[in-house]
Amino acid sequence: MNEQLEDVQRERDLFRRILELDTSSGLQALLGETLELLVQASGARKGYIELRGSDDSPAWSLARGLTDDETQLVREQISTGILGHSIRTGETVNTASALTDERFASRGSVSLHKIQSVLCTPIGQPRPFGAVYLQGRQTAGPFPAAAVETLRLLARHLAPVLGRARTQSLEAAQADPTQTLREGLQGLDGIIGRSEALAEVLRIVTLVAPI
């Protein structure tokens, strides 16, 4: 009974934090708060969140606990990896070990990086516009059913918040093509301008800058 009460109180606190999310500080900052919330709710050691742009390509992303190489791996496997599978199918992936999961074990990146427990769920329905990828637990095995259900519920309730912020950023990008790129880079406060030429320079910087 005490455990059930604790679960109810924990979920109440999590949903309260959704209501308290700051949507005024920009989409990238909102992603940071969202990822922190989802990592804590699931008990994962590492996390990555991504939202797609209007052309369905990765537009905003953030990692927590992942090394630069691991982050790059997740990004490179967008179309064929676990995260891409979740976005394409709208399914939540919960595997005790990607190394032995027949859906992903054949991918060289999985065996190379020895990816174990993974939980990945899409953001947005019926057509997902993003996903959250969580990796690693303190104990062996898949993420518990309670954590999976909590993550699904949180993603469902977070989707409208993130969707509105995403729409605002996309609309701002139409007027200022540098806006989305600025949100993913640091130290650009002194750079003035919003031309397509500047946007192209920032795209190049994004590609070559350390992740």
Side-chain angles (χ1 to χ4, degrees):
M1 185 66 178
N2 288 337
E3 289 184 2
Q4 291 180 337
L5 180 59
E6 289 177 0
D7 289 341
V8 170
Q9 291 174 336
R10 182 168 57 253
E11 290 187 12
R12 178 203 61 194
D13 293 341
L14 289 171
F15 287 114
R16 179 180 295 168
R17 287 183 61 184
I18 291 179
L19 297 176
E20 294 173 349
L21 287 175
D22 182 8
T23 59
S24 65
S25 55
L27 182 53
Q28 200 68 21
L30 180 59
L31 286 181
E33 292 185 57
T34 300
L35 184 57
E36 181 71 21
L37 175 63
L38 296 175
V39 167
Q40 289 183 4
S42 64
R45 292 187 290 107
K46 305 175 181 182
Y48 175 87
I49 189 170
E50 176 186 290
L51 301 185
R52 299 292 180 92
S54 55
D55 60 353
D56 204 36
S57 64
W60 302 273
S61 62
L62 196 70
R64 180 182 185 274
L66 293 167
T67 65
D68 288 350
D69 287 344
E70 288 173 329
T71 302
Q72 184 63 25
L73 170 66
V74 175
R75 288 174 175 166
E76 288 176 349
Q77 298 297 315
I78 292 304
S79 60
T80 60
I82 295 172
L83 189 144
H85 175 86
S86 187
I87 292 179
R88 278 196 316 276
T89 63
E91 298 175 356
T92 295
V93 174
N94 181 27
T95 178
S97 173
L99 285 167
T100 58
D101 192 312
E102 62 182 12
R103 295 171 296 177
F104 313 110
S106 62
R107 307 186 194 283
S109 58
V110 169
S111 58
L112 177 64
H113 292 266
K114 296 180 172 55
I115 298 175
Q116 296 290 333
S117 54
V118 169
L119 175 58
C120 185
T121 196
I123 299 172
Q125 293 293 342
R127 183 183 178 188
F129 57 83
V132 58
Y133 171 99
L134 303 170
Q135 181 181 318
R137 300 183 61 234
Q138 299 299 325
T139 56
F143 285 84
V148 176
E149 185 59 27
T150 297
L151 184 66
R152 282 176 175 159
L153 284 172
L154 288 173
R156 189 180 310 151
H157 286 280
L158 283 164
V161 178
L162 294 172
R164 286 191 295 271
R166 171 178 174 268
T167 298
Q168 291 171 357
S169 290
L170 289 173
E171 291 174 348
Q174 292 179 350
D176 178 2
T178 71
Q179 179 64 37
T180 300
L181 296 162
R182 288 176 183 274
E183 291 178 355
L185 295 170
Q186 297 179 352
L188 300 182
D189 293 343
I191 297 180
I192 300 173
R194 56 182 186 179
S195 66
E196 183 58 43
L198 177 58
E200 184 59 30
V201 171
L202 295 180
R203 290 189 190 98
I204 295 173
V205 172
T206 300
L207 290 174
V208 301
I211 297 174

